[in-house]
Amino acid sequence: MTIVYLIILAFVLGLVIWNLWTEKKLVNQLTAVMVIIPLVLRLLLIK
Amino acid sequence: MKKHQITALVCLVAAAAIAIYSGNLFLSLRKPDKIIPGPGVTEVRKLSDYFSELKGTRGDSDIYILKGAEEGGKVLVLGGTHPNEPSGYLSAVIMVEKGKVSTGEVYVIPRANNSAFTHNDSQEASPLYLHFDNTKGEERAFRFGSRATNPIDQWPDPDVYEHAASGQQLSGSETRNLNRGYPGRPKGNLTEQMCYAITELIKKEDIGLTFDLHEASPEYPVINATVAHEKSMDIAAFGMFELDMIGIKMQLEPSPVNLHGLTHRELGDYTDTYPLLMETANASQGRLRGATNEELALTGKDKFYVSAQKLGMLYVPYDENGHPIEERVGRHLQSIQSYVSSYNDFTGETVVLENLPSYDEMLAGRLGDYLN
């Protein structure tokens, strides 16, 4: 079950990073940063 | 490269830097506190010695054994069942660092739920560590953890937690509460496996008396109290008389027959031990508290609890002096000594604890005076 969870998580993280890369507004890019940090920590099973 | 792509790169670098910093901080919480065993400790085992499936997991806690020169009864002390209740944990640490046993054996598990020490309860703004200076002036740091097993170690929570032995249903998050999982089961989740290992220890070592050390918020009715299984009632009642003479007011609460998973119920039902659970007053886990920080956890001083006392909302006396950690640990250590004395009288077994501070000595000094 954890593997499935991590695959979904990695997919969502990829989408957020893609959104950050294509987004033109700085405010929205900063919002993406705030989402990326906990996703990375979760993906690495740190938090 | 376009302008928004440059800002995206800067943002990614910033995200990586913050993730590395915070990741290192979270990982550092997994490093166990330094507990320095005193001369009374004769052996150190692990919970996995009683249930091998725990080996290599964060549930594999240390068991410190203080064995006397003379044969006698056996006592188990559980600290850190809930690592956000520091007096229970620190009382067990002092037993390991300063305690001696001349007759019988005392098993001490300071970090009963080792996994719960590796994180904090979310949105509680809890301090990460509590700090003390020992008599040499050296700083000792001890974790302030969570009530429950780290979700990294046990995931996901069910919507409803069903206690395996009784079928009792509780909120899903209680599945990670060590004190809702007894007697535990070998094929259960990590928390249930830790419970199972502790139950196996009690059975295999023929532990006669078991203490589970806790704290409660001042607005919780079961506070400055001992909760006793019906078979432990005589031991608890006579121990209470001794505590009363020392000046410690202790309520005696019967273990509810229909509240399952707790030490004072299940260890009494499923093993031959006499279980006792004790609670002291901890403002830092209460709902009425102000700023949550190390000072609050150590002193218990909180103006909002003083106001609540004046409104008659609390179950424990509360004034500007709070409830310092020395008082709370002193209560636990004195109670252990008094209940062991009562256990000796009632069962004919003999366990002699030595070198532990009395309640008055704890009140007069600093907790760090009793750390190595």
Side-chain angles (χ1 to χ4, degrees), chain B residues 125-158:
Chain B
S126 305
L128 293 180
Y129 289 92
L130 304 180
H131 298 86
F132 303 91
D133 287 335
N134 65 14
T135 50
K136 297 172 219 161
E138 298 161 342
E139 187 177 81
R140 301 285 306 277
F142 296 95
R143 278 280 295 139
F144 186 103
S146 163
R147 179 177 174 82
T149 301
N150 193 330
I152 290 292
D153 299 326
Q154 182 183 314
W155 178 91
D157 289 347

Side-chain angles (χ1 to χ4, degrees), chain B residues 207-255:
Chain B
I207 301 290
L209 180 62
T210 298
F211 293 100
D212 188 13
L213 307 180
H214 286 257
E215 296 206 90
S217 50
E219 66 272 27
Y220 184 64
V222 183
I223 192 162
N224 280 355
T226 298
V227 188
H229 189 273
E230 51 269 20
K231 69 182 182 184
S232 312
M233 268 296 172
D234 289 342
I235 293 169
F238 276 81
M240 262 181 57
F241 290 141
E242 184 177 316
L243 290 171
D244 197 48
M245 285 189 281
I246 295 167
I248 297 177
K249 297 293 178 196
M250 181 75 83
Q251 296 182 68
L252 178 55
E253 302 281 345
S255 170

Side-chain angles (χ1 to χ4, degrees), chain B residues 308-361:
Chain B
Q309 165 72 21
K310 289 172 184 164
L311 294 169
M313 296 171 67
L314 305 183
Y315 291 88
V316 65
Y318 224 101
D319 61 22
E320 288 75 9
N321 296 316
H323 286 281
I325 193 74
E326 284 80 9
E327 174 206 304
R328 289 141 56 197
V329 169
R331 281 185 70 94
H332 276 327
L333 291 176
Q334 184 64 62
S335 300
I336 288 170
Q337 294 172 81
S338 296
Y339 288 135
V340 165
S341 170
S342 178
Y343 168 75
N344 291 344
D345 292 341
F346 266 90
T347 63
E349 295 279 5
T350 307
V351 178
V352 180
L353 283 165
E354 295 174 348
N355 214 37
L356 290 180
S358 68
Y359 180 60
D360 288 337
E361 286 171 331

